[in-house]
Amino acid sequence: MGLTASTFWIVDAFPDEDARQAHINGPIAEALMANAGRVLAAPPEILPADVLAAKVPG
């Protein structure tokens, strides 16, 4: 996948895999996929990633 000026990322974080899957299979993702051809130049790529490290305030 090449990055261009029209490439953007949406990043969501979830407490566990069950929550991630619930979101991916939920109504927002369903609505995006149903309208992808109308609102996006190409089908969206959903690429799961794991957090390797995090720093929280405090």
CSV table of all heavy atoms in Angstrom, one decimal:
chain,number,residue,atom,x,y,z
A,1,MET,N,0.8,-1.2,0.0
A,1,MET,CA,0.0,0.0,0.0
A,1,MET,C,0.9,1.2,0.0
A,1,MET,O,1.7,1.4,0.9
A,1,MET,CB,-0.9,0.0,1.2
A,1,MET,CG,-1.6,1.3,1.5
A,1,MET,SD,-2.7,1.3,2.9
A,1,MET,CE,-1.5,1.1,4.2
A,2,GLY,N,0.7,2.1,-1.0
A,2,GLY,CA,1.5,3.3,-1.0
A,2,GLY,C,0.7,4.5,-0.3
A,2,GLY,O,-0.5,4.6,-0.4
A,3,LEU,N,1.5,5.3,0.4
A,3,LEU,CA,0.9,6.4,1.1
A,3,LEU,C,0.9,7.6,0.2
A,3,LEU,O,1.9,7.9,-0.5
A,3,LEU,CB,1.7,6.7,2.4
A,3,LEU,CG,1.7,5.6,3.4
A,3,LEU,CD1,2.6,6.1,4.6
A,3,LEU,CD2,0.3,5.3,3.9
A,4,THR,N,-0.2,8.3,0.2
A,4,THR,CA,-0.3,9.5,-0.6
A,4,THR,C,-1.0,10.6,0.2
A,4,THR,O,-1.3,10.4,1.4
A,4,THR,CB,-1.2,9.3,-1.9
A,4,THR,OG1,-2.6,9.1,-1.4
A,4,THR,CG2,-0.8,8.1,-2.7
A,5,ALA,N,-1.2,11.8,-0.4
A,5,ALA,CA,-1.8,12.9,0.3
A,5,ALA,C,-3.2,12.6,0.7
A,5,ALA,O,-3.8,13.2,1.6
A,5,ALA,CB,-1.7,14.2,-0.5
A,6,SER,N,-3.8,11.6,0.0
A,6,SER,CA,-5.2,11.2,0.3
A,6,SER,C,-5.4,10.0,1.1
A,6,SER,O,-6.5,9.5,1.3
A,6,SER,CB,-6.0,11.1,-1.0
A,6,SER,OG,-5.4,10.0,-1.8
A,7,THR,N,-4.2,9.5,1.7
A,7,THR,CA,-4.3,8.3,2.5
A,7,THR,C,-4.4,8.8,4.0
A,7,THR,O,-3.8,9.7,4.4
A,7,THR,CB,-2.9,7.5,2.4
A,7,THR,OG1,-2.8,7.1,1.1
A,7,THR,CG2,-2.9,6.3,3.4
A,8,PHE,N,-5.3,8.2,4.7
A,8,PHE,CA,-5.5,8.5,6.1
A,8,PHE,C,-5.7,7.2,6.9
A,8,PHE,O,-6.1,6.2,6.4
A,8,PHE,CB,-6.6,9.5,6.4
A,8,PHE,CG,-7.9,9.1,6.0
A,8,PHE,CD1,-8.8,8.5,7.0
A,8,PHE,CD2,-8.4,9.1,4.7
A,8,PHE,CE1,-10.1,8.1,6.6
A,8,PHE,CE2,-9.7,8.7,4.4
A,8,PHE,CZ,-10.5,8.2,5.3
A,9,TRP,N,-5.5,7.3,8.2
A,9,TRP,CA,-5.6,6.2,9.1
A,9,TRP,C,-6.6,6.5,10.2
A,9,TRP,O,-6.6,7.6,10.7
A,9,TRP,CB,-4.3,5.8,9.7
A,9,TRP,CG,-3.2,5.4,8.8
A,9,TRP,CD1,-2.6,6.2,7.8
A,9,TRP,CD2,-2.6,4.1,8.7
A,9,TRP,NE1,-1.7,5.4,7.1
A,9,TRP,CE2,-1.7,4.1,7.6
A,9,TRP,CE3,-2.8,2.9,9.4
A,9,TRP,CZ2,-0.9,3.0,7.3
A,9,TRP,CZ3,-2.1,1.8,9.0
A,9,TRP,CH2,-1.1,1.9,8.0
A,10,ILE,N,-7.4,5.5,10.5
A,10,ILE,CA,-8.2,5.6,11.7
A,10,ILE,C,-7.7,4.6,12.7
A,10,ILE,O,-7.6,3.4,12.3
A,10,ILE,CB,-9.7,5.4,11.4
A,10,ILE,CG1,-10.2,6.4,10.4
A,10,ILE,CG2,-10.6,5.3,12.7
A,10,ILE,CD1,-11.6,6.1,9.9
A,11,VAL,N,-7.4,5.0,13.9
A,11,VAL,CA,-6.8,4.1,14.9
A,11,VAL,C,-7.8,4.0,16.1
A,11,VAL,O,-8.2,5.0,16.6
A,11,VAL,CB,-5.4,4.6,15.4
A,11,VAL,CG1,-4.9,3.7,16.4
A,11,VAL,CG2,-4.5,4.7,14.2
A,12,ASP,N,-8.2,2.8,16.4
A,12,ASP,CA,-9.0,2.5,17.5
A,12,ASP,C,-8.2,1.5,18.5
A,12,ASP,O,-7.5,0.7,18.0
A,12,ASP,CB,-10.3,1.8,17.1
A,12,ASP,CG,-11.2,2.7,16.3
A,12,ASP,OD1,-11.3,3.9,16.6
A,12,ASP,OD2,-11.8,2.2,15.3
A,13,ALA,N,-8.4,1.7,19.7
A,13,ALA,CA,-7.8,0.8,20.7
A,13,ALA,C,-8.8,0.1,21.6
A,13,ALA,O,-9.9,0.8,21.9
A,13,ALA,CB,-6.8,1.6,21.6
A,14,PHE,N,-8.6,-1.1,21.9
A,14,PHE,CA,-9.6,-1.9,22.6
A,14,PHE,C,-8.9,-2.7,23.7
A,14,PHE,O,-7.7,-3.0,23.6
A,14,PHE,CB,-10.3,-2.9,21.7
A,14,PHE,CG,-10.9,-2.2,20.5
A,14,PHE,CD1,-10.2,-2.1,19.3
A,14,PHE,CD2,-12.1,-1.6,20.6
A,14,PHE,CE1,-10.8,-1.5,18.2
A,14,PHE,CE2,-12.7,-0.9,19.5
A,14,PHE,CZ,-12.0,-0.9,18.3
A,15,PRO,N,-9.6,-3.0,24.8
A,15,PRO,CA,-9.0,-3.6,25.9
A,15,PRO,C,-8.6,-5.1,25.7
A,15,PRO,O,-7.7,-5.6,26.4
A,15,PRO,CB,-10.0,-3.5,27.1
A,15,PRO,CG,-11.3,-3.3,26.4
A,15,PRO,CD,-11.0,-2.6,25.1
A,16,ASP,N,-9.3,-5.7,24.7
A,16,ASP,CA,-9.0,-7.1,24.4
A,16,ASP,C,-9.5,-7.5,23.1
A,16,ASP,O,-10.2,-6.7,22.4
A,16,ASP,CB,-9.6,-8.1,25.5
A,16,ASP,CG,-11.1,-7.9,25.7
A,16,ASP,OD1,-11.8,-7.6,24.7
A,16,ASP,OD2,-11.6,-8.0,26.8
A,17,GLU,N,-9.2,-8.7,22.6
A,17,GLU,CA,-9.6,-9.2,21.3
A,17,GLU,C,-11.1,-9.3,21.1
A,17,GLU,O,-11.6,-9.0,20.0
A,17,GLU,CB,-8.9,-10.5,21.0
A,17,GLU,CG,-9.2,-11.1,19.6
A,17,GLU,CD,-8.6,-10.2,18.5
A,17,GLU,OE1,-7.7,-9.4,18.7
A,17,GLU,OE2,-9.2,-10.2,17.4
A,18,ASP,N,-11.8,-9.7,22.2
A,18,ASP,CA,-13.3,-9.7,22.0
A,18,ASP,C,-13.9,-8.4,21.7
A,18,ASP,O,-14.8,-8.2,20.9
A,18,ASP,CB,-13.9,-10.3,23.3
A,18,ASP,CG,-13.6,-11.8,23.5
A,18,ASP,OD1,-13.3,-12.5,22.5
A,18,ASP,OD2,-13.7,-12.3,24.6
A,19,ALA,N,-13.4,-7.3,22.4
A,19,ALA,CA,-13.8,-6.0,22.1
A,19,ALA,C,-13.5,-5.5,20.7
A,19,ALA,O,-14.3,-4.9,20.1
A,19,ALA,CB,-13.3,-5.0,23.2
A,20,ARG,N,-12.3,-5.9,20.3
A,20,ARG,CA,-11.9,-5.5,18.9
A,20,ARG,C,-12.8,-6.2,17.9
A,20,ARG,O,-13.3,-5.5,17.0
A,20,ARG,CB,-10.4,-6.0,18.7
A,20,ARG,CG,-9.9,-5.6,17.3
A,20,ARG,CD,-8.6,-6.2,16.9
A,20,ARG,NE,-7.5,-6.0,17.8
A,20,ARG,CZ,-6.3,-6.3,17.6
A,20,ARG,NH1,-6.0,-7.0,16.5
A,20,ARG,NH2,-5.3,-6.1,18.5
A,21,GLN,N,-13.1,-7.4,18.1
A,21,GLN,CA,-14.0,-8.1,17.1
A,21,GLN,C,-15.4,-7.6,17.2
A,21,GLN,O,-16.0,-7.5,16.1
A,21,GLN,CB,-13.9,-9.6,17.4
A,21,GLN,CG,-12.6,-10.3,17.0
A,21,GLN,CD,-12.2,-10.1,15.6
A,21,GLN,OE1,-13.1,-10.2,14.7
A,21,GLN,NE2,-11.0,-9.7,15.4
A,22,ALA,N,-15.9,-7.3,18.4
A,22,ALA,CA,-17.2,-6.7,18.5
A,22,ALA,C,-17.3,-5.4,17.7
A,22,ALA,O,-18.3,-5.1,17.0
A,22,ALA,CB,-17.6,-6.5,19.9
A,23,HIS,N,-16.2,-4.6,17.7
A,23,HIS,CA,-16.2,-3.3,17.0
A,23,HIS,C,-16.2,-3.6,15.5
A,23,HIS,O,-16.9,-3.0,14.7
A,23,HIS,CB,-15.1,-2.5,17.4
A,23,HIS,CG,-14.9,-1.2,16.7
A,23,HIS,ND1,-15.8,-0.1,16.9
A,23,HIS,CD2,-14.1,-0.8,15.7
A,23,HIS,CE1,-15.5,0.9,16.1
A,23,HIS,NE2,-14.5,0.5,15.4
A,24,ILE,N,-15.3,-4.5,15.1
A,24,ILE,CA,-15.1,-4.8,13.6
A,24,ILE,C,-16.4,-5.4,13.0
A,24,ILE,O,-16.7,-5.1,11.9
A,24,ILE,CB,-13.9,-5.7,13.4
A,24,ILE,CG1,-12.6,-5.0,13.7
A,24,ILE,CG2,-13.9,-6.3,12.0
A,24,ILE,CD1,-11.4,-5.9,13.7
A,25,ASN,N,-17.1,-6.1,13.8
A,25,ASN,CA,-18.4,-6.7,13.4
A,25,ASN,C,-19.6,-5.9,13.7
A,25,ASN,O,-20.7,-6.4,13.5
A,25,ASN,CB,-18.5,-8.1,13.9
A,25,ASN,CG,-17.4,-9.0,13.4
A,25,ASN,OD1,-17.1,-9.0,12.2
A,25,ASN,ND2,-16.7,-9.8,14.3
A,26,GLY,N,-19.4,-4.7,14.3
A,26,GLY,CA,-20.6,-3.9,14.7
A,26,GLY,C,-21.2,-3.0,13.7
A,26,GLY,O,-20.8,-3.1,12.5
A,27,PRO,N,-22.1,-2.2,14.1
A,27,PRO,CA,-22.9,-1.4,13.1
A,27,PRO,C,-22.1,-0.3,12.4
A,27,PRO,O,-22.4,0.0,11.3
A,27,PRO,CB,-24.0,-0.8,14.0
A,27,PRO,CG,-23.5,-0.9,15.4
A,27,PRO,CD,-22.6,-2.1,15.5
A,28,ILE,N,-21.1,0.3,13.1
A,28,ILE,CA,-20.3,1.3,12.4
A,28,ILE,C,-19.5,0.7,11.3
A,28,ILE,O,-19.5,1.3,10.2
A,28,ILE,CB,-19.4,2.0,13.4
A,28,ILE,CG1,-20.3,2.8,14.4
A,28,ILE,CG2,-18.5,3.0,12.7
A,28,ILE,CD1,-19.6,3.4,15.6
A,29,ALA,N,-18.8,-0.4,11.5
A,29,ALA,CA,-18.1,-1.0,10.5
A,29,ALA,C,-19.0,-1.5,9.3
A,29,ALA,O,-18.7,-1.4,8.2
A,29,ALA,CB,-17.3,-2.2,11.0
A,30,GLU,N,-20.1,-2.0,9.7
A,30,GLU,CA,-21.1,-2.5,8.7
A,30,GLU,C,-21.6,-1.3,7.8
A,30,GLU,O,-21.6,-1.4,6.6
A,30,GLU,CB,-22.3,-3.1,9.4
A,30,GLU,CG,-23.3,-3.6,8.4
A,30,GLU,CD,-24.5,-4.3,9.1
A,30,GLU,OE1,-24.5,-4.5,10.3
A,30,GLU,OE2,-25.5,-4.5,8.4
A,31,ALA,N,-21.8,-0.1,8.4
A,31,ALA,CA,-22.2,1.0,7.7
A,31,ALA,C,-21.1,1.5,6.7
A,31,ALA,O,-21.3,1.9,5.6
A,31,ALA,CB,-22.7,2.1,8.6
A,32,LEU,N,-19.9,1.5,7.3
A,32,LEU,CA,-18.7,1.9,6.4
A,32,LEU,C,-18.6,1.0,5.2
A,32,LEU,O,-18.5,1.5,4.1
A,32,LEU,CB,-17.4,1.9,7.2
A,32,LEU,CG,-16.2,2.2,6.4
A,32,LEU,CD1,-16.2,3.5,5.7
A,32,LEU,CD2,-14.9,2.0,7.3
A,33,MET,N,-18.6,-0.3,5.5
A,33,MET,CA,-18.5,-1.2,4.4
A,33,MET,C,-19.6,-1.1,3.3
A,33,MET,O,-19.4,-1.2,2.1
A,33,MET,CB,-18.3,-2.6,4.9
A,33,MET,CG,-17.1,-2.8,5.8
A,33,MET,SD,-15.5,-2.3,5.0
A,33,MET,CE,-15.2,-3.7,4.0
A,34,ALA,N,-20.8,-0.9,3.8
A,34,ALA,CA,-22.0,-0.8,2.9
A,34,ALA,C,-21.9,0.5,2.0
A,34,ALA,O,-22.4,0.5,0.9
A,34,ALA,CB,-23.3,-0.7,3.8
A,35,ASN,N,-21.2,1.5,2.5
A,35,ASN,CA,-21.1,2.8,1.8
A,35,ASN,C,-19.7,3.0,1.2
A,35,ASN,O,-19.4,4.1,0.7
A,35,ASN,CB,-21.5,3.9,2.6
A,35,ASN,CG,-23.0,3.9,3.0
A,35,ASN,OD1,-23.8,4.1,2.1
A,35,ASN,ND2,-23.3,3.6,4.2
A,36,ALA,N,-18.8,2.1,1.4
A,36,ALA,CA,-17.4,2.3,1.0
A,36,ALA,C,-17.2,2.7,-0.5
A,36,ALA,O,-16.4,3.6,-0.8
A,36,ALA,CB,-16.5,1.0,1.3
A,37,GLY,N,-17.9,2.0,-1.4
A,37,GLY,CA,-17.8,2.3,-2.8
A,37,GLY,C,-18.3,3.7,-3.1
A,37,GLY,O,-17.8,4.3,-4.1
A,38,ARG,N,-19.1,4.3,-2.3
A,38,ARG,CA,-19.7,5.7,-2.5
A,38,ARG,C,-18.8,6.7,-1.9
A,38,ARG,O,-18.7,7.8,-2.4
A,38,ARG,CB,-21.1,5.8,-1.9
A,38,ARG,CG,-21.8,7.0,-2.2
A,38,ARG,CD,-23.2,7.0,-1.8
A,38,ARG,NE,-23.4,6.8,-0.4
A,38,ARG,CZ,-23.4,7.7,0.6
A,38,ARG,NH1,-23.1,8.9,0.3
A,38,ARG,NH2,-23.5,7.4,1.8
A,39,VAL,N,-18.1,6.4,-0.8
A,39,VAL,CA,-17.4,7.5,-0.1
A,39,VAL,C,-15.9,7.3,-0.1
A,39,VAL,O,-15.1,8.2,0.3
A,39,VAL,CB,-17.8,7.6,1.4
A,39,VAL,CG1,-19.3,7.9,1.5
A,39,VAL,CG2,-17.6,6.3,2.2
A,40,LEU,N,-15.4,6.2,-0.5
A,40,LEU,CA,-13.9,5.9,-0.6
A,40,LEU,C,-13.5,5.6,-2.0
A,40,LEU,O,-14.2,5.0,-2.8
A,40,LEU,CB,-13.5,4.8,0.3
A,40,LEU,CG,-13.9,4.9,1.8
A,40,LEU,CD1,-13.6,3.6,2.6
A,40,LEU,CD2,-13.2,6.1,2.4
A,41,ALA,N,-12.2,6.0,-2.3
A,41,ALA,CA,-11.7,5.7,-3.7
A,41,ALA,C,-11.4,4.2,-3.9
A,41,ALA,O,-11.4,3.7,-5.0
A,41,ALA,CB,-10.4,6.5,-3.9
A,42,ALA,N,-11.1,3.5,-2.8
A,42,ALA,CA,-10.8,2.1,-2.8
A,42,ALA,C,-11.4,1.4,-1.6
A,42,ALA,O,-11.6,2.1,-0.6
A,42,ALA,CB,-9.3,1.9,-2.9
A,43,PRO,N,-11.6,0.1,-1.6
A,43,PRO,CA,-12.1,-0.5,-0.4
A,43,PRO,C,-11.1,-0.3,0.8
A,43,PRO,O,-9.9,-0.3,0.6
A,43,PRO,CB,-12.1,-2.0,-0.8
A,43,PRO,CG,-12.1,-2.0,-2.3
A,43,PRO,CD,-11.4,-0.8,-2.7
A,44,PRO,N,-11.6,-0.1,2.0
A,44,PRO,CA,-10.8,0.1,3.2
A,44,PRO,C,-10.0,-1.2,3.5
A,44,PRO,O,-10.5,-2.3,3.3
A,44,PRO,CB,-11.7,0.4,4.3
A,44,PRO,CG,-13.0,-0.1,3.9
A,44,PRO,CD,-13.1,-0.1,2.4
A,45,GLU,N,-8.8,-1.0,4.0
A,45,GLU,CA,-8.0,-2.1,4.5
A,45,GLU,C,-8.1,-2.1,6.0
A,45,GLU,O,-7.8,-1.1,6.7
A,45,GLU,CB,-6.6,-2.0,4.1
A,45,GLU,CG,-6.3,-2.3,2.7
A,45,GLU,CD,-4.8,-2.2,2.4
A,45,GLU,OE1,-4.1,-3.2,2.8
A,45,GLU,OE2,-4.4,-1.2,1.9
A,46,ILE,N,-8.5,-3.2,6.6
A,46,ILE,CA,-8.6,-3.3,8.1
A,46,ILE,C,-7.4,-4.1,8.5
A,46,ILE,O,-7.3,-5.3,8.2
A,46,ILE,CB,-9.9,-3.9,8.6
A,46,ILE,CG1,-11.1,-3.0,8.1
A,46,ILE,CG2,-9.9,-4.1,10.1
A,46,ILE,CD1,-12.4,-3.6,8.4
A,47,LEU,N,-6.4,-3.5,9.2
A,47,LEU,CA,-5.2,-4.1,9.6
A,47,LEU,C,-5.1,-4.1,11.1
A,47,LEU,O,-4.8,-3.1,11.7
A,47,LEU,CB,-4.0,-3.3,8.9
A,47,LEU,CG,-4.1,-3.1,7.4
A,47,LEU,CD1,-3.0,-2.2,7.0
A,47,LEU,CD2,-3.9,-4.5,6.7
A,48,PRO,N,-5.3,-5.2,11.7
A,48,PRO,CA,-5.1,-5.3,13.2
A,48,PRO,C,-3.7,-5.1,13.6
A,48,PRO,O,-2.8,-5.6,12.9
A,48,PRO,CB,-5.7,-6.6,13.5
A,48,PRO,CG,-5.5,-7.5,12.3
A,48,PRO,CD,-5.6,-6.5,11.2
A,49,ALA,N,-3.5,-4.5,14.7
A,49,ALA,CA,-2.1,-4.3,15.3
A,49,ALA,C,-2.2,-4.5,16.8
A,49,ALA,O,-3.3,-4.2,17.4
A,49,ALA,CB,-1.6,-3.0,14.9
A,50,ASP,N,-1.2,-4.9,17.4
A,50,ASP,CA,-1.1,-5.0,18.8
A,50,ASP,C,-0.2,-3.9,19.4
A,50,ASP,O,0.8,-3.6,18.8
A,50,ASP,CB,-0.5,-6.4,19.2
A,50,ASP,CG,-1.4,-7.6,18.8
A,50,ASP,OD1,-2.7,-7.4,18.9
A,50,ASP,OD2,-0.9,-8.6,18.4
A,51,VAL,N,-0.6,-3.4,20.5
A,51,VAL,CA,0.2,-2.4,21.2
A,51,VAL,C,1.4,-3.2,21.8
A,51,VAL,O,1.2,-4.1,22.6
A,51,VAL,CB,-0.6,-1.7,22.3
A,51,VAL,CG1,0.3,-0.8,23.1
A,51,VAL,CG2,-1.8,-1.0,21.7
A,52,LEU,N,2.6,-2.7,21.5
A,52,LEU,CA,3.8,-3.3,22.0
A,52,LEU,C,4.3,-2.7,23.3
A,52,LEU,O,4.9,-3.3,24.1
A,52,LEU,CB,4.9,-3.3,21.0
A,52,LEU,CG,4.6,-4.0,19.7
A,52,LEU,CD1,5.7,-3.9,18.7
A,52,LEU,CD2,4.2,-5.5,19.9
A,53,ALA,N,4.0,-1.4,23.4
A,53,ALA,CA,4.4,-0.6,24.6
A,53,ALA,C,3.5,0.6,24.7
A,53,ALA,O,2.9,1.1,23.7
A,53,ALA,CB,5.8,-0.2,24.5
A,54,ALA,N,3.3,1.0,25.9
A,54,ALA,CA,2.4,2.2,26.2
A,54,ALA,C,2.9,3.0,27.4
A,54,ALA,O,3.5,2.4,28.3
A,54,ALA,CB,1.0,1.8,26.4
A,55,LYS,N,2.8,4.3,27.3
A,55,LYS,CA,3.1,5.1,28.4
A,55,LYS,C,1.9,5.9,28.8
A,55,LYS,O,1.4,6.7,28.0
A,55,LYS,CB,4.3,6.0,28.1
A,55,LYS,CG,4.7,6.9,29.2
A,55,LYS,CD,5.9,7.7,28.8
A,55,LYS,CE,6.3,8.6,30.0
A,55,LYS,NZ,7.5,9.5,29.7
A,56,VAL,N,1.4,5.8,30.0
A,56,VAL,CA,0.3,6.5,30.4
A,56,VAL,C,0.7,7.6,31.4
A,56,VAL,O,1.7,7.5,32.1
A,56,VAL,CB,-0.8,5.5,31.1
A,56,VAL,CG1,-1.3,4.5,30.1
A,56,VAL,CG2,-0.1,4.8,32.3
A,57,PRO,N,-0.1,8.7,31.4
A,57,PRO,CA,0.3,9.8,32.3
A,57,PRO,C,0.2,9.4,33.7
A,57,PRO,O,-0.6,8.6,34.1
A,57,PRO,CB,-0.8,10.9,32.0
A,57,PRO,CG,-1.5,10.4,30.7
A,57,PRO,CD,-1.2,9.0,30.6
A,58,GLY,N,1.1,10.0,34.5
A,58,GLY,CA,1.0,9.8,36.0
A,58,GLY,C,2.1,8.9,36.4
A,58,GLY,O,2.5,8.4,37.2
